Amino acid sequence: MLILLPPSETKREGGDEGPLDVSRLRFPSLTATRRRLLREVRTLSRDEAASVKALKISARQLPEVARNRSVTTSPTMPAIDRYTGVVFDALDAQSLTPEARSFAASHLVIQSALLGPIGGLDEIPAYRLSHDSKLPGVHLAKTWAPLVPAEIGAGDELVLDCRSEAYVALSPLTGRTNCWFLRVVTESDDGSVRALNHFNKKSKGLLTRALLLHARDLVSIDEVIAVAHTAGMRMERGGPGEVLLYAPAP
């Protein structure tokens, strides 16, 4: 089983481990691509004006450029501790049990625009690169789309795809028989169901936390639904390859 999460724009500072060792990240076949993108990000970071434009940030966010300039020399920490934001606040990795964190090491994957899919406990630095960033001479979707499907869900293992649609577009997982896209929805008083956008992130984080605390290698989407129900969440099958998680109306 793999739980696939999007990354977060925001990241925690610091780290207790040494600089990034790309060769130790999960999915080592991606090492050469990761190194190429790291070189491009560092090169871009030498030009602040170009970085602001390419990363789609404001002049007040220049510290993000400095992060990229030192991306291969700055300290690292586990990915689930590095990323912040709504999904990861709800996941609350720091309070997970040792068993849950161990389960995350082998069953949680976070798709980074810079590093591609990485393991939940892979040691990574702080950086800034989003799915829609414009690296000179690099098209992120064309870079990752041919590579990621060969690493994720290539067999018949269960994949719960909790990525945002933007990160799904960066690396679509098509033609997988046991890959389920999680769609967070809400039900109105009249019974109509609609998808949630920003407000879906907390529900994804809470579901991921429940699955990590359960710490069992599930093989079917019905088992995932059962874990969600035990955690007090309403979840059911949707259309083909889709599972619905119900959240309170915002």
Side-chain angles (χ1 to χ4, degrees):
M1 174 188 183
L2 289 180
I3 307 163
L4 185 54
L5 286 182
S8 172
E9 297 280 7
T10 55
K11 298 165 187 73
R12 190 167 284 107
E13 291 283 357
D16 296 326
E17 299 299 324
L20 174 65
D21 184 348
V22 180
S23 67
R24 297 185 65 182
L25 298 178
R26 191 167 183 179
F27 309 117
S29 69
L30 304 176
T31 296
T33 301
R34 289 164 170 158
R35 285 178 173 152
R36 178 167 67 90
L37 292 184
L38 285 163
R39 287 195 299 269
E40 295 295 339
V41 162
R42 290 185 65 203
T43 298
L44 175 66
S45 71
R46 299 187 188 114
D47 186 332
E48 287 188 345
S51 292
V52 166
K53 182 178 180 180
L55 302 177
K56 299 182 179 180
I57 60 177
S58 70
R60 294 193 300 265
Q61 294 174 291
L62 285 179
E64 300 281 8
V65 180
R67 280 179 166 182
N68 284 354
R69 195 175 301 125
S70 62
V71 69
T72 58
T73 59
S74 57
T76 58
M77 69 173 67
I80 57 172
D81 300 319
R82 174 69 71 191
Y83 293 109
T84 59
V86 179
V87 172
F88 293 91
D89 286 348
L91 172 57
D92 193 13
Q94 288 76 26
S95 70
L96 290 173
T97 63
E99 183 183 18
R101 286 183 69 92
S102 177
F103 188 79
S106 54
H107 294 82
L108 179 64
V109 172
I110 303 166
Q111 186 181 332
S112 160
L114 175 61
L115 300 169
I118 54 176
L121 295 192
D122 281 358
E123 301 281 348
I124 64 169
Y127 67 91
R128 179 63 179 244
L129 193 74
S130 305
H131 65 89
D132 59 349
S133 297
K134 304 294 183 183
L135 275 179
V138 176
H139 191 291
L140 289 174
K142 290 180 179 178
T143 297
W144 291 120
L147 302 177
V148 173
E151 299 290 351
I152 296 177
D156 58 359
E157 66 183 340
L158 171 65
V159 176
L160 181 64
D161 191 348
C162 302
R163 296 176 299 172
S164 61
E165 292 188 357
Y167 276 90
V168 169
L170 191 67
S171 298
L173 301 179
T174 56
R176 298 295 183 261
T177 58
N178 202 15
C179 182
W180 297 81
F181 178 70
L182 179 72
R183 191 175 299 281
V184 181
V185 299
T186 189
E187 187 172 43
S188 301
D189 292 339
D190 61 5
S192 61
V193 174
R194 62 184 177 89
L196 291 175
N197 293 318
H198 173 76
F199 295 98
N200 71 20
K201 295 179 180 180
K202 180 177 181 181
S203 295
K204 289 180 178 180
L206 291 174
L207 175 63
T208 301
R209 179 178 175 83
L211 290 168
L212 295 182
L213 288 171
H214 185 69
R216 299 293 181 271
D217 198 3
L218 309 180
V219 298
S220 74
I221 195 62
D222 292 324
E223 290 177 303
V224 173
I225 291 172
V227 173
H229 288 176
T230 300
M233 304 176 193
R234 179 185 172 191
M235 191 176 185
E236 61 190 36
R237 287 175 179 249
E242 184 177 273
V243 63
L244 305 180
L245 179 63
Y246 286 80

